[in-house]
């Protein structure tokens, strides 16, 4: 949510896949609960996210028949207590992630590509480049995966940096061109014959 100041003790960023209005409602309720809650430690915030998510799944799902329940997968980056953590909401369940995560129908391709292009020692800048490259390919090769690229980073000082959608698209296209060249070199290396 685009509120608050750099001095806020709690910041959050959300990325979702599934039923749009349901995701919007969950994000709104989670953010409001955390913002109005008394907890400031990472564990207290994570507990508030989990409790609010479960409460609103129960409230809204009770209105629907079993086969018609809206679905949501949401990645939540949380800054609290001078640390950052990443959580994955899958329906009423919330789990903390160790490194990165993907949601939606591009998840398998994203996970495969992340294992190819990302290392644990990457910088935030490297992660942004990897994310743009992965998103570009998911939108290109996975049916129904698309929309505007909205990229934000939550840093250890609590600041949130956003990249304009147009800038993200231009950079992603450039990365795709570089990726083609690298793939050509990889293919060519596989055809080299060794002479003794």
């Amino acid at each position: 949510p685009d509120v608050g100041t750099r001095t806020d003790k709690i910041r959050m960023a959300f990325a979702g896949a599934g039923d749009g209005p349901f995701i919007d409602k969950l994000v709104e309720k989670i953010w409001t609960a955390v913002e109005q809650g008394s907890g400031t430690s990472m564990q207290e915030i994570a507990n508030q996210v989990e409790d609010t998510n479960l409460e609103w799944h129960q409230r809204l799902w009770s209105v629907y028949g079993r086969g018609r329940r809206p679905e949501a997968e949401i990645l939540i980056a949380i800054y609290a207590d001078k640390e950052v953590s990443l959580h994955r909401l899958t329906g009423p369940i919330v789990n903390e992630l160790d490194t990165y995560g993907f949601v939606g129908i591009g998840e398998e391709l994203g996970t495969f590509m992340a294992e190819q292009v990302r290392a644990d020692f990457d910088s935030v800048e490297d992660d942004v480049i990897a994310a743009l490259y992965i998103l570009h390919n998911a939108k290109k090769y996975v049916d129904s995966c698309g929309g505007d690229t909205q990229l934000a980073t939550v840093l250890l000082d609590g600041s949130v940096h956003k990249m304009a959608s147009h800038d993200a698209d231009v950079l992603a296209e450039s990365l795709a061109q570089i990726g083609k060249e690298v793939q050509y070199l990889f293919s060519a290396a596989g055809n080299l014959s060794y002479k003794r």
Side-chain angles (χ1 to χ4, degrees), residues 69-87:
R69 291 177 175 164
E71 296 182 5
E73 292 180 280
I74 303 174
L75 290 175
I76 306 173
I78 303 172
Y79 168 81
D81 207 23
K82 297 187 178 179
E83 61 179 300
V84 176
S85 67
L86 182 65
H87 302 260

Side-chain angles (χ1 to χ4, degrees), residues 10-143:
I10 301 167
R11 299 291 297 172
M12 299 175 82
F14 300 85
D19 294 287
F22 187 47
I23 292 167
D24 292 342
K25 180 59 72 176
L26 290 172
V27 167
E28 172 196 340
K29 294 301 181 182
I30 289 169
W31 174 246
T32 299
V34 168
E35 187 179 38
Q36 295 176 355
S38 60
T40 57
S41 74
M42 183 61 74
Q43 189 58 55
E44 290 170 325
I45 301 303
N47 289 343
Q48 186 69 58
V49 167
E50 189 167 15
D51 292 346
T52 304
N53 178 55
L54 182 58
E55 174 191 348
W56 281 92
H57 268 84
Q58 289 172 334
R59 286 180 73 170
L60 294 174
W61 275 5
S62 67
V63 177
Y64 292 86
R66 277 195 188 270
R68 300 176 52 129
R69 291 177 175 164
E71 296 182 5
E73 292 180 280
I74 303 174
L75 290 175
I76 306 173
I78 303 172
Y79 168 81
D81 207 23
K82 297 187 178 179
E83 61 179 300
V84 176
S85 67
L86 182 65
H87 302 260
R88 180 189 170 118
L89 177 157
T90 306
I93 299 169
V94 178
N95 291 308
E96 185 172 2
L97 300 176
D98 291 332
T99 53
Y100 57 84
F102 298 91
V103 292
I105 59 175
E107 178 180 1
E108 289 181 15
L109 178 61
T111 301
F112 168 77
M113 292 188 72
E115 290 174 2
Q116 306 304 309
V117 301
R118 189 184 176 283
D120 289 337
F121 53 83
D122 285 349
S123 67
V124 171
E125 292 82 8
D126 292 338
D127 285 340
V128 166
I129 289 170
L132 286 172
Y133 184 67
I134 291 166
L135 280 169
H136 176 81
N137 281 284
K139 290 196 292 188
K140 184 173 181 178
Y141 295 111
V142 179
D143 287 341

Side-chain angles (χ1 to χ4, degrees), residues 133 171-185:
Y133 184 67
L171 183 54
E173 192 59 45
S174 298
L175 293 169
Q177 291 299 324
I178 293 169
K180 286 180 184 177
E181 298 298 324
V182 171
Q183 183 60 41
Y184 170 76
L185 293 173

Side-chain angles (χ1 to χ4, degrees), residues 152-165:
T153 57
V154 180
L155 301 181
L156 290 175
D157 66 359
S159 61
V160 177
H161 298 268
K162 298 177 185 177
M163 181 179 284
S165 182

